Amino acid sequence: MWTTCQECQGRGKKSRRLSKKVRLNYQMAFDQFEKTKGNGTAPVRPKANLYKCLNCNGSGLMNSSSYPEPDKENYPHVAIIGAGIGGAALAAACLHRGIPFTLYERDNNFAARSQGYGLTLQQASKAIEGLGIFSLKDGVVSTRHLVHTTEGKVVGEWGNRKWIQSDAKTTAKRTNVHIARQSLRLELLEQLGGHDVVQWGHQLVDFKNCEDESIELNFQVNGEIKKTKADLVVGADGIRSSVRKLLIGDDITPLRYLGCIVILGICPLSMLEGINNSLLDSATVFQTANGNERIYIMPYTSYSVMWQLSFPMPEDEAKFLSTQGPLALKEEACRRTQWHDPIPQILTATLEAQISGYPVYDRQLLNSQLLEKGNSSTLIGDAAHPMSPFKGQGANQALLDALSLARAISKGCKPLSQWRKTGIRKSVLTEFESEMLERSAAKVKDSADAAQFLHSEIVLHKGDEPRGRCLKKKEQ
Ligand SMILES: Cc1cc2nc3c(=O)[nH]c(=O)nc-3n(C[C@H](O)[C@H](O)[C@H](O)COP(=O)(O)OP(=O)(O)OC[C@H]3O[C@@H](n4cnc5c(N)ncnc54)[C@H](O)[C@@H]3O)c2cc1C
């Protein structure tokens, strides 16, 4: 069990006092500005340097024999809508900080819908320590990433193995951990002490601000409407978020079709016995493309791989194909990928029950003004900034949002903060949202760009670097 580190107040970082010289320079610039009576530009106050808190080794958490009691007196009660990746992470981060919360999920139980795909944790492979997860039980680390032509010729290779072998100066900055989405979700829910903490079967239908500054929420539960109250509503309810719809309307930033479909499958390595191929060593990620279709194959667990085939298609055709079911999706995928080994073998061996397919969407970026409409409500994860899966960033950003929001509540609503008087928007949400929107904007854009260039000749550009990086260099 975990509680926050008292030395850094759960931030994982501490501020170093600014040097006397920096303080004096700022003061001089400010005095100068005041003399101009508001003409000219005000100097920006220098920010304190942050360094890792050694007491908790940067996680912001300390081992404890019990969780802190929810501090109902001082903190707002948070209603978290959606127990997916972002919602479960926010609940865990609130629990560690003594922030009272209720976690609502429309599904009736953990496994109600097939959610079979794998995630790659990049920045978040470190950030999850801040959520109390120091090693992922089912996580698989990849050390090599290869790009092939359809004949199997390698046109790009990177990852720890490459750097170590070639003794190159470049070292990988972080580890990519692959994990089934449901395994990560389970680990987050286990932080809460198990599934029972989730209010399953609660579909949010409406909420409204009350005169006493609280919020009244209406849920559909077993065909009936159930009312509850909270001080803060957080929409962690995914790309088709109801909270977003109620807050800013669906017509302002509607779903934006990115011009392609993805077909996904999971194949146990046991179905590929007899195929001796180093690409199936449970530590290699590889992709193969022809300028139109592109397949990406990664370890899903130590005993299986996940494949993701994508290609351009008009929206109505993509919608139609995705409703045709796994057999049609499999046939389409096999027809388009009669390429080098072991791709045809993997696709053929994948059971239909393990195949799904979706048209790919995102939404136009949100801005602070749109979110400001929610006095005491906000959004995180896909509800705030949905993006295509091609940069593998959606879950990473949802986890970072969750931690950042819990830290902001803990700081902005601490005892004596008077947040009830100032309002939760001013005390917490404005600053949190501006950090979230700035951090995720580049990821949304890069993920949308990837939906284009991965299905073009650019994907076959020779170079030992992630695809699309050559475009970034040209931009600079
Ligand atoms: C094929 C594919 C591959 C991907 N690969 C990666 C990857 O490698 N790396 C990565 O970082 N990301 C990846 N992503 C993206 C990632 O899965 C999402 O960005 C992430 O799950 C978003 O988390 P979330 O909590 O915002 O939403 P979700 O995880 O979608 O959770 C939303 C939850 O809200 C619930 N809900 C919805 N409406 C309501 C309501 N009205 N009331 C109550 N509950 C409600 C839903 O049932 C659901 O449980 C991938 C996505 C796909 C489709």
Side-chain angles (χ1 to χ4, degrees), residues 81-87 104-107 113 115 117-122 181 185 202-205 219 236-242 262 264 298 306 308 358 380-383 387 389 391-398:
I81 314 302
I85 300 297
Y104 300 99
E105 167 58 49
R106 71 171 168 197
D107 286 347
R113 267 174 313 128
Q115 315 195 22
Y117 60 84
L119 301 170
T120 303
L121 296 184
Q122 303 174 57
R181 179 181 175 279
R185 191 176 175 223
H202 281 62
Q203 173 160 10
L204 179 80
V205 284
F219 291 92
D237 48 349
I239 184 165
R240 292 171 200 273
S241 165
S242 308
V262 294
L264 305 165
M298 68 172 213
M306 181 191 97
Q308 177 185 290
Y358 323 86
I380 62 170
D382 279 6
M387 56 190 88
K391 282 272 157 189
Q393 275 292 327
N396 281 272
Q397 294 300 312

Side-chain angles (χ1 to χ4, degrees), residues 13-312:
K13 289 192 179 122
K14 291 167 85 174
S15 319
R16 187 170 282 131
R17 207 173 133 75
L18 291 169
S19 71
K20 198 170 168 192
K21 191 171 154 203
V22 173
R23 276 184 285 133
L24 281 176
N25 280 348
Y26 170 71
Q27 194 55 50
M28 266 160 56
F30 189 76
D31 292 346
Q32 196 66 32
F33 169 71
E34 288 227 304
K35 274 189 206 149
T36 65
K37 299 210 164 50
N39 284 328
T41 329
V44 179
R45 183 186 285 275
K47 282 204 171 134
N49 292 324
L50 293 177
Y51 65 99
K52 184 164 100 174
C53 172
L54 295 177
N55 193 42
C56 59
N57 202 20
S59 71
L61 297 180
M62 297 298 285
N63 243 320
S64 163
S65 55
S66 61
Y67 289 122
E69 278 294 308
D71 182 351
K72 295 182 183 164
E73 183 103 350
N74 287 304
Y75 286 128
H77 189 108
V78 187
I80 306 169
I81 314 302
I85 300 297
L90 177 60
C94 285
L95 181 74
H96 300 148
R97 287 164 179 77
I99 301 169
F101 69 90
T102 313
L103 179 55
Y104 300 99
E105 167 58 49
R106 71 171 168 197
D107 286 347
N108 285 329
N109 56 60
F110 178 72
R113 267 174 313 128
S114 139
Q115 315 195 22
Y117 60 84
L119 301 170
T120 303
L121 296 184
Q122 303 174 57
Q123 316 88 314
S125 65
K126 180 79 187 141
I128 50 172
E129 292 185 0
L131 296 163
I133 302 176
F134 288 81
S135 77
L136 283 163
K137 282 196 280 294
D138 297 326
V140 184
V141 173
S142 63
T143 54
R144 182 167 69 142
H145 195 128
L146 294 167
V147 187
H148 303 104
T149 63
T150 53
E151 293 81 37
K153 189 176 144 217
V154 175
V155 290
E157 177 180 354
W158 62 93
N160 281 352
R161 242 189 288 177
K162 164 87 181 168
W163 310 138
I164 292 164
Q165 264 170 22
S166 66
D167 206 22
K169 287 206 178 94
T170 333
T171 49
K173 288 191 206 96
R174 57 180 182 230
T175 314
N176 282 352
V177 181
H178 307 279
I179 183 156
R181 179 181 175 279
Q182 282 290 62
S183 301
L184 174 63
R185 191 176 175 223
L186 186 62
E187 290 215 24
L188 289 165
L189 291 176
E190 278 172 356
Q191 287 285 314
L192 306 175
H195 294 190
D196 295 352
V197 186
V198 183
Q199 301 292 306
W200 298 104
H202 281 62
Q203 173 160 10
L204 179 80
V205 284
D206 199 6
F207 66 90
K208 63 168 195 230
N209 291 308
C210 304
E211 270 176 23
D212 64 355
E213 300 291 319
S214 67
I215 304 178
E216 186 183 278
L217 301 107
N218 289 333
F219 291 92
Q220 174 119 30
V221 186
N222 288 329
E224 290 185 5
I225 294 295
K226 181 175 158 185
K227 289 185 187 302
T228 62
K229 278 201 163 192
D231 301 305
L232 170 63
V233 174
V234 180
D237 48 349
I239 184 165
R240 292 171 200 273
S241 165
S242 308
V243 178
R244 181 177 178 133
K245 196 169 168 187
L246 293 163
L247 210 61
I248 52 185
D250 224 7
D251 42 346
I252 294 188
T253 50
L255 286 177
R256 180 167 65 178
Y257 182 56
L258 291 173
C260 56
I261 183 169
V262 294
I263 304 181
L264 305 165
I266 294 156
C267 180
L269 294 174
S270 60
M271 301 284 278
L272 300 168
E273 266 169 20
I275 299 174
N276 189 7
N277 194 310
S278 65
L279 296 175
L280 300 175
D281 63 0
S282 300
T284 297
V285 174
F286 69 99
Q287 50 180 314
T288 299
N290 62 6
N292 192 57
E293 286 90 0
R294 178 237 189 195
I295 197 162
Y296 169 92
I297 303 187
M298 68 172 213
Y300 181 66
T301 62
S302 310
Y303 313 102
S304 56
V305 289
M306 181 191 97
W307 52 268
Q308 177 185 290
L309 172 71
S310 51
F311 47 88

Side-chain angles (χ1 to χ4, degrees), residues 322-348:
S322 66
T323 56
Q324 288 303 289
L327 179 60
L329 290 165
K330 181 172 175 174
E331 280 172 4
E332 186 74 30
C334 290
R335 192 175 63 76
R336 288 178 182 253
T337 52
Q338 289 308 307
W339 298 342
H340 67 87
D341 289 356
I343 295 170
Q345 293 87 339
I346 294 175
L347 267 64
T348 307

